[in-house]
Every structure is written in structure tokens, then in C-alpha cells.
Amino acid sequence: MSGETSSGAGNGAAGGARESAITSLDLLWGTGERPSRGPKPGLTLDRIVGAAVALADAEGLDAVSMRRVSAELGVGTMSLYRYVPGKTELLDLMLDRVQGESLAGEPAAPPARQPGGWRTAIELLARGHLALYRAHPWLLKVNEARSLLGPNTLRGFELCLAGLTGPHPYGMGLSDPETLSVIVTVQSFVTGVARLEIQTAEAAKETGFSDEEFWATQAPFLERAMKSGEFPTVAGLAEDTFAVESDHFTFGLERLMEGFEALVARRAGGPGVSSGGTAS
């Protein structure tokens, strides 16, 4: 009996998620129905999404609700429901909206290919991804494993692929699954760097305890630990090891690029790194 109930609940949840996804896709691609009666003059889906993004930027994703967004726009909450069914669909629209911001100034079609242009494409992908997190820290709290492919998201994917695919020396000369792995690798690296940077800033803001104060509090304990002889490797680190000016992002991106260059060279038949990891 309990198994039937659980299964029924699961099917219901799946059905609701499917309907929500279809509704969001209709809104993203402009195929959904528009309000036919009673909309407040001047209220548009674009204004609603823009207000929600601004609210999330200022106060975090938890602050975004249909009631709060309607208050920011100076309209009744029910007015919003004529344009978007709920927060789930609103979040889908917000994600595609900010992806559009990262494409501002980008050409409508991929630029003419240049030898080695894939390197530029990877750097643009990495720096653009980091800039997106810095502008919208709330993105770190969103499960993007199943992000819907709206027009802005798909256009960004198209431009990225166009810069990476194709034969050497213009593209990377990799298979399609490998090219996708390159994108996932770069984005995962950037997400890790952004998470550390943003969480460090958030911790200071939420606690009123600066990063300098945090480490200063630990200093006496760490000094005793270093003198104990139990942590000789840590004690032997250079004084500038944890310098705040260290650019971990650039360092990591350069190392990733070196690895990709070795792979591309190997596939092109030039000098690089063998499959066993030794220089060839």
C-alpha cells in the first residue's frame, strides 16, 4: 500500500516537473499564451524577470518570491501570475536572462576563424563564466544540472562550440563528446574558483568578522602547532603562500590550457604528451 502511494506521489511530482518545464520553455521561446485580459499597463514579462534578477542580486535568491517581486514592481501579486505561473518558472527565465547579459556585444554569428582561435574561445568562456558569478552570486545556489535551453543559453552554447570545433589549427580537432568535456572542465574549474571567492566575501558580510580578523584569531593556535614539530611540511611553507594577491584563477586557467594544447597537438600529430603522460 505504501509502495503504491510512494509511486503515485513520484509520478505526480514527475508530471508536475514536466508541465513546469514545458511552461517555462513556452515562455522562453515566446510560444506561450500572453495575458488576454486585465494586465496592468506597462507590466511585461521582461520587466518581471528584470525585477526578479535585480532583487536576487541585491538580497539573494531566498528573497525572490512572487509577492516580493510584485511589491518591487508596485503591482498586485495576482498580476504576476497572469504572466508567469510561479517561482520555478520565474527562476528558469532569470537564468536565461543573465546568460543574455554575458552575450552583450557578441556577434550574432561566430567570427571568422583564426589559427589557434580555440584558445581565445576557452579564455572567453572562462572569464565570461567568472564574470557571470561575480555579477550574480546567487547562481551558485541554483542547481543547473538540468537548466532549460532558452534562446540566450543556446546562443551562448552555439558561440562556444563554434570557437572550439573543427579541424586543427582553427578548432581543437576533438570529437563532439570530448569538446563537451572541455566545456564542462572549464566551467567546473571556474565554478570552484567563484565559490571560494564569493563564499569568502559572504562569510565576512554575514558575520561582520573580516577575513583578516578570522585568520588573526587563529594565529596564536597555529603558531603553537607549527612549533610543535608535528606539521613540518606546513611549517616550511613560504610566508607568501597564502598571499591574498595570488591569482589562482589565472594560474589554473593557464595550466588547463597547457593540458588542452598537449591534447590538441597529439591529435594533430605534432609534439605533445603521449597517452601515458610522458613527453613525446
Side-chain angles (χ1 to χ4, degrees):
M1 187 73 167
S2 60
E4 293 177 2
T5 303
S6 176
S7 176
N11 291 334
R18 187 180 302 109
E19 288 301 317
S20 177
I22 292 172
T23 299
S24 292
L25 288 166
D26 281 337
L27 292 169
L28 285 165
W29 289 99
T31 57
E33 294 182 4
R34 292 292 181 264
S36 58
R37 60 178 183 175
K40 183 178 178 64
L43 186 61
T44 64
L45 185 60
D46 187 65
R47 280 192 65 206
I48 293 169
V49 177
V53 169
L55 182 58
D57 290 345
E59 301 182 28
L61 194 59
D62 290 341
V64 178
S65 67
M66 299 296 278
R67 182 182 299 277
R68 183 64 191 280
V69 173
S70 65
E72 293 293 315
L73 291 168
V75 300
T77 304
M78 293 308 297
S79 298
L80 265 62
Y81 286 107
R82 297 188 178 117
Y83 291 84
V84 58
K87 184 175 177 178
T88 298
E89 293 80 7
L90 180 58
L91 180 57
D92 289 333
L93 298 173
M94 291 166 63
L95 291 173
D96 195 67
R97 169 69 169 261
V98 298
Q99 289 291 338
E101 293 175 9
S102 67
L103 294 172
E106 293 287 343
R113 294 207 171 222
Q114 300 290 331
W118 62 267
R119 296 178 181 84
T120 300
I122 287 179
E123 183 162 359
L124 289 174
L125 168 65
R127 296 194 181 280
H129 207 52
L130 182 60
L132 201 61
Y133 279 124
R134 285 173 172 171
H136 309 288
W138 52 269
L139 285 171
L140 287 173
K141 300 184 183 300
V142 178
N143 184 345
E144 296 190 66
R146 286 186 173 183
S147 293
L148 297 179
L149 296 178
N152 289 322
T153 304
L154 198 57
R155 182 180 165 214
F157 188 39
E158 169 67 25
L159 289 172
C160 185
L161 284 175
L164 300 178
T165 56
H168 184 269
Y170 303 99
M172 298 186 78
L174 305 179
S175 68
D176 289 345
E178 289 172 330
T179 301
L180 182 60
S181 289
V182 169
I183 295 173
V184 171
T185 298
V186 173
Q187 289 184 331
S188 297
F189 160 69
V190 174
T191 300
V193 172
R195 188 179 304 280
L196 177 61
E197 178 182 305
I198 291 169
Q199 288 183 341
T200 297
E202 287 182 344
K205 181 179 179 180
E206 291 171 359
T207 63
F209 197 35
S210 72
D211 216 33
E212 293 76 14
E213 292 171 323
F214 172 76
W215 288 109
T217 300
Q218 297 189 73
F221 300 89
L222 293 175
E223 287 174 4
R224 286 196 294 272
M226 295 306 99
K227 291 177 180 178
S228 70
E230 295 182 46
F231 312 98
T233 307
V234 179
L237 291 174
E239 290 186 4
D240 64 348
T241 299
F242 300 100
V244 293
E245 60 269 18
S246 297
D247 190 347
H248 302 300
F249 171 77
T250 298
F251 177 86
L253 181 59
E254 288 175 351
R255 303 295 78 76
L256 283 178
M257 199 76 79
E258 289 171 358
F260 293 144
E261 286 173 345
L263 175 61
V264 169
R266 186 168 71 244
R267 291 298 174 79
V273 178
S274 70
S275 58
T278 57
S280 61

